[in-house]
Amino acid sequence: MKVNGVDYRTIWPDSADPRVIRIIDQRRLPHRLVEVELRTVADFARAIGEMYVRGAGLIGATAAFGIYSATLAAPASDPWPFIRQAAATLIATRPTASNLAWAVGRQLKALEGHATVHSLRQASFSLACTIADEDAEFCRRIGEHGLELLREISRRKGGAPVNILTHCNAGWLAFVDYGSATAPIYAAHRAGVPVHVWVDETRPWLQGARLTAWELAGEGVPHTLISDNSGGHLMQQGAVDLVLVGTDRTTRCGDVANKIGTYLKALAAHDNNVPFYVALPSSTFDWQICDGLRQIPIEERSGDELRYVHGLTDGGQEDRVLICPANTPTLNHGFDVTPARLITGLISDRGIMRAEEADILRLYPEHKPR
Ligand code: MRU
């Protein structure tokens, strides 16, 4: 997507030295656009764990390049112990998004059987680029499928703007490009289908306020920032035509883990007959599990994310302020699980399906149990 007229992805190899991988430091947005260089496995692990990069798709692509960096640093005589250790380090950074283990696993499988470290490095770089390109292409296709849904709602409203509520950031910043939940929104906006987005601020990290609002403004998409507690009220007022969110892990039976607070939006949508859609690339399905509540690991993050708010002072300095008594006990779960029964549909790169095993497998027959 474009930033100030310049085409950006969220991760890319440095043009002068492809051993260096560049990212946008999302902790600094929307106030500063800062690029960071990643060179070592520790750099990649820090970037994922400390949320320089975040969002399921981008975490996966970053981990794929992290394995490439491991092949560069691994001793030529016996590279595998180093690469396996790097894989374990990367996988441990964030537990919920399935794309992370998926991308690392895909790298390890593809690298088996390479006889020389030189060929390992070439294969790993090429696969990391493929994973990044595929991620962008998956999202582009999600946009095509979701566009038809938004067009139909707009048609039913006589051409009035479609009001979409979204939570967290499932935009291009959460992937390599386009985004999942935002891809249909961008596609509709470009196709002349009028849309307006209610942007949940998304406490505590404020992905909505900091990232989604910035992205939508950059593309000229009409939007309004709302507090996390406003969605139910807006739905009762008839001001939301659909909820459209992303997901970090989706089970083969259609349960969805996404940013904490998503479940409450799904409950409110259910109570108000508002359609609740989840957009995801194929790489976010976890085919091994069915029961999301019992089987999806939920990340717990530092209580400082709750205690402090980070932002820009009136003087233009980035700073953080304490918003509660200094030693207040906290509990900071990063994600929650929305059961399939509350989900109207899943929009993937393969099309739109109901959030139930049989319909998911209709579009993914290769995952049918043999
Ligand atoms: O903690 P984050 O910012 O990585 O969480 C991101 C989300 O919850 C997104 O909604 C999710 O990754 C789906 S879009 C990739």
Side-chain angles (χ1 to χ4, degrees):
M1 305 293 281
K2 288 210 184 325
V3 180
N4 300 328
V6 178
D7 268 323
Y8 261 91
R9 279 185 165 193
T10 51
I11 187 164
W12 66 99
D14 187 275
S15 53
D17 181 357
R19 289 171 303 179
V20 176
I21 303 303
R22 300 184 78 84
I23 55 165
I24 298 172
D25 183 352
Q26 300 193 17
R27 301 168 311 160
R28 311 291 301 278
L29 289 171
H31 309 301
R32 311 263 188 265
L33 181 66
V34 176
E35 293 179 18
V36 170
E37 295 181 350
L38 305 181
R39 294 169 183 271
T40 66
V41 174
D43 290 345
F44 281 88
R46 186 180 327 105
I48 299 171
E50 295 181 15
M51 293 175 64
Y52 294 51
V53 291
R54 26 68 52 204
L58 178 54
I59 290 171
T62 306
F65 280 110
I67 294 294
Y68 164 58
S69 89
T71 65
L72 292 177
S77 55
D78 186 14
W80 274 102
F82 187 92
I83 294 171
R84 284 202 191 92
Q85 179 56 50
T89 301
L90 290 164
I91 286 176
T93 50
R94 295 197 73 188
T96 301
S98 48
N99 304 58
L100 175 53
W102 169 83
V104 170
R106 194 168 157 190
Q107 276 279 26
L108 295 184
K109 190 152 188 282
L111 297 183
E112 277 168 13
H114 282 265
T116 66
V117 77
H118 177 71
S119 106
L120 269 180
R121 287 170 185 160
Q122 278 189 326
S124 181
F125 180 72
S126 152
L127 181 55
C129 294
T130 300
I131 286 174
D133 289 346
E134 276 179 9
D135 185 80
E137 175 57 16
F138 281 159
C139 287
R140 197 190 61 74
R141 288 190 209 158
I142 290 169
E144 283 179 355
H145 296 299
L147 166 61
E148 295 315 314
L149 187 67
L150 298 185
R151 205 195 286 281
E152 173 57 21
I153 296 173
S154 172
R155 197 188 54 73
R156 272 192 263 128
K157 290 185 75 179
V162 181
N163 287 304
I164 302 149
L165 185 142
T166 194
H167 190 67
C168 194
N169 173 262
W172 70 270
L173 291 167
F175 290 89
V176 173
D177 212 346
Y178 304 108
S180 57
T182 55
I185 296 170
Y186 293 137
H189 182 65
R190 285 180 190 152
V193 176
V195 288
H196 164 263
V197 184
W198 298 111
V199 179
D200 277 359
E201 58 177 348
T202 319
R203 282 276 297 151
W205 209 83
L206 300 173
Q207 285 92 336
R210 290 161 54 164
L211 306 178
T212 306
W214 181 77
E215 273 195 25
L216 293 173
E219 292 297 311
V221 176
H223 62 283
T224 308
L225 180 64
I226 55 173
S227 72
D228 287 332
N229 304 324
S230 301
H233 171 68
L234 290 172
M235 290 183 215
Q236 287 174 323
Q237 302 298 312
V240 180
D241 294 307
L242 83 161
V243 179
L244 182 49
V245 295
T247 163
D248 281 77
R249 191 183 292 242
T250 296
T251 74
R252 67 167 195 281
C253 302
D255 291 346
V256 159
N258 192 47
K259 182 52 57 193
I260 192 83
T262 303
Y263 170 54
L264 290 177
K265 296 299 135 74
L267 283 175
H270 188 69
D271 195 45
N272 289 283
N273 287 322
V274 171
F276 185 97
Y277 281 91
V278 179
L280 73 162
S282 298
S283 49
T284 302
F285 279 107
D286 182 341
W287 300 105
Q288 309 306 317
I289 61 174
C290 178
D291 182 342
L293 267 176
R294 282 199 311 116
Q295 294 177 291
I296 297 179
I298 298 294
E299 177 179 18
E300 207 179 314
R301 295 187 60 84
S302 161
D304 280 354
E305 290 183 353
L306 284 167
R307 293 191 193 96
Y308 291 90
V309 170
H310 179 272
L312 208 60
T313 65
D314 286 346
Q317 302 297 316
E318 285 174 88
D319 210 345
R320 62 175 204 165
V321 291
L322 181 67
I323 59 164
C324 59
N327 296 319
T328 299
T330 57
L331 178 61
N332 184 17
H333 285 128
F335 300 92
D336 61 23
V337 173
T338 300
R341 67 188 157 77
L342 297 177
I343 298 169
T344 312
L346 304 172
I347 310 171
S348 90
D349 40 284
R350 296 211 186 162
I352 301 184
M353 66 211 96
R354 292 190 302 282
E356 55 189 46
E357 187 171 15
D359 209 40
I360 294 171
L361 292 176
R362 173 180 61 84
L363 292 189
Y364 292 90
E366 71 273 30
H367 291 287
K368 279 188 180 154
R370 286 157 205 261

